[in-house]
Amino acid sequence: MKNSQVIFDWSGTISNDFLIVLGAVNCVLTQFGKPTISPAGLRRSFSTDLKSWYAARGIDDFDEVQRLYTEISGTNGKPKIIPGALEAVNRILELSPVSIFSSHPYVHLEQEARSYGLPTGKITLHGDVSKDIETPNQGFEKLLKEIPRERVLYFGDTIVDINLANHYRLISVAVADENYSYHDRRTLRKANPKYLINSISEASDLVRKILT
């Protein structure tokens, strides 16, 4: 179905890097003498505005935060594909074109996607993406010139994703996986997603239901 599009966020939706990020964050907090945070605590409070997130915990030297985080995360393991994600993407490709929008640098996104076995020749990858609704998203705007918004599904695991999808009047789908998502179910509900699923494994059935 060329007159449709399925968009996925990357981290927490396709790529499992939550525990790597949690470990790096706690190392940074420890370096600054601050209390560490639990997985549930991070899922309740996670924000892409990292400077403000650390400032709320009494850490204002964001340059040092970034230096420490980069140093630590490089030795904190490698992300893996979320179970069921590869199968879901391959099934959806039989129904619709697929794109991935990520704030990760494009080169890193492509490398990870290839290492996960995703069919990168069939998927459109968008790296270095700003998900700030105050900033025009050229990738979205180009896409929406060609495809009706009611035929575009956006799967994401944070309220940032859902707010972006709702801002562009897309079909927003929150993925509330208790093991991999960055925001928990309660937090995601506050963003008013059109649909809420428990796992990326449920994505292909939902796409089939909506687009066929």
Side-chain angles (χ1 to χ4, degrees), residues 9-151:
D9 167 56
W10 188 243
S11 293
T13 303
I14 299 292
S15 182
N16 173 18
D17 58 6
F18 179 81
L19 291 180
I20 295 172
V21 170
L22 175 67
V25 166
N26 278 332
C27 284
V28 171
L29 292 174
T30 299
Q31 289 287 329
F32 280 93
K34 304 298 181 182
T36 57
I37 191 167
S38 68
L42 184 58
R43 286 193 167 100
R44 286 192 299 269
S45 66
F46 176 76
S47 171
T48 54
D49 184 356
L50 297 176
K51 187 173 183 178
S52 296
W53 190 90
Y54 281 103
R57 286 151 184 82
I59 302 173
D60 296 318
D61 189 350
F62 191 60
D63 288 340
E64 180 63 8
V65 166
Q66 290 179 303
R67 187 193 70 78
L68 285 169
Y69 185 90
T70 301
E71 181 180 286
I72 294 163
S73 61
T75 61
N76 207 24
K78 292 185 177 181
K80 300 178 180 179
I81 192 167
I82 292 174
L86 178 60
E87 295 80 3
V89 170
N90 282 330
R91 286 195 294 267
I92 290 169
L93 281 168
E94 298 175 0
L95 304 169
S96 171
V98 170
S99 295
I100 292 173
F101 281 74
S102 174
S103 59
H104 287 202
Y106 177 84
V107 63
H108 294 167
L109 175 63
E110 183 181 35
Q111 288 172 354
E112 287 186 6
R114 289 184 183 280
S115 72
Y116 293 170
L118 288 166
T120 54
K122 299 179 180 179
I123 298 172
T124 304
L125 301 176
H126 298 265
D128 304 291
V129 173
S130 170
K131 296 184 178 180
D132 180 1
I133 60 174
E134 301 300 326
T135 304
N137 188 306
Q138 295 180 353
F140 270 66
E141 293 181 352
K142 180 180 179 181
L143 186 70
L144 296 175
K145 287 180 180 179
E146 304 169 359
I147 302 171
R149 295 167 194 251
E150 65 272 15
R151 301 282 294 173

